[in-house]
Structures are given as C-alpha cells and as structure tokens.
C-alpha cells in the first residue's frame, strides 16, 4: 500500500477532476508538488511562511504539502512520467521546439492511452 495515500492528511487530497494522481491542497487546484518546488527552487527558494503568504494558504497546509513531497510518493513520479510521454508525443521535447519547432497534434485516443498508463 502507498504510505502517502494511507496517511491521513488534513489539508491534502486527490482532485478527481484532474488527470494528476498526486495530492492537491483540498478545495484548490494547487498541487502539493508546486508548493514543494517553490520551497526547494534552486533559483529562489521560499520559506513555508513566504509560500503561505504568497498563495494565501494556511501555514500548516504548506508544511503538510512539503512533508508529503519529501515522503517521495510514487504518484508524483508517475505523473511526471506521463507528462514526459505527452511532451514526447507532441514534439515538445524536440530541441528545436522553442525556436519554431513543430507541435505535433496527438490524437485523443493516444492522449487517453498515455494518461491511463
């Protein structure tokens, strides 16, 4: 059993309307990984207090999101892998993409297959 899903989280929960499997701040569309990324940013790391103030979230919610991500939940890695497959299928991983590379239209059936895997 996945320990990150069996833990009782006060501020975190899944978002059934999202294709992401990782936890979100309940009642928002903010993924816990976004808050963690703000905290560990190589360029401009933010304290939990700064994140809380910036996003108008309870401090405890920010700390819970950081703890969740530090537990290395497998659903975050799985979401990342799905995102990478979608980027590859659409041509966004092509080195020339940002300088005028062509975006490939990914058929809906292929997107659905990638998101299910």
């Amino acid at each position: 059993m996945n320990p990150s899903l069996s833990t009782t989280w006060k501020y975190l929960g899944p978002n059934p309307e999202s294709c992401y499997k990782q936890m979100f701040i309940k009642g928002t569309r903010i993924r816990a990984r976004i808050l963690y990324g703000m905290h560990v940013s190589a360029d401009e790391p933010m304290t939990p207090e700064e994140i809380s103030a910036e996003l108008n979230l309870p401090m405890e919610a920010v700390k819970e999101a950081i703890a969740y991500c530090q537990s290395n939940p497998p659903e975050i890695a799985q979401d990342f892998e799905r995102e990478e497959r979608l980027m590859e299928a659409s041509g966004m991983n092509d080195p020339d993409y940002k300088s005028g590379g062509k975006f490939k239209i990914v058929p809906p059936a292929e997107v659905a297959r990638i998101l299910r895997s």
Side-chain angles (χ1 to χ4, degrees):
M1 178 176 235
N2 180 345
S4 63
L5 295 178
S6 63
T7 300
T8 302
W9 301 104
K10 180 176 179 183
Y11 293 97
L12 300 178
N15 182 341
E17 296 178 8
S18 174
C19 64
Y20 289 102
K21 304 303 180 201
Q22 62 192 270
M23 298 288 198
F24 289 71
I25 302 296
K26 290 178 182 175
T28 75
R29 296 172 59 185
I30 302 171
R31 290 178 280 135
R33 181 60 182 87
I34 297 300
L35 302 181
Y36 183 68
M38 294 169 76
H39 180 61
V40 299
S41 169
D43 296 331
E44 293 183 42
M46 297 174 74
T47 66
E49 293 81 10
E50 291 170 329
I51 297 168
S52 173
E54 176 85 18
L55 299 177
N56 197 27
L57 294 171
M59 173 69 68
E60 297 82 15
V62 174
K63 289 182 177 181
E64 191 170 281
I66 291 169
Y68 163 71
C69 292
Q70 287 175 334
S71 75
N72 201 23
E75 58 271 17
I76 290 179
Q78 292 162 358
D79 284 347
F80 179 75
E81 289 169 15
R82 276 191 298 278
E83 240 175 32
E84 284 295 312
R85 288 193 302 269
L86 279 172
M87 289 172 56
E88 184 67 33
S90 67
M92 292 176 73
N93 283 349
D94 184 318
D96 294 327
Y97 179 78
K98 288 184 180 177
S99 61
K102 298 228 179 198
F103 182 80
K104 300 175 198 168
I105 296 175
V106 182
E110 179 65 6
V111 171
R113 185 193 66 72
I114 290 170
L115 294 177
R116 279 193 310 271
S117 59

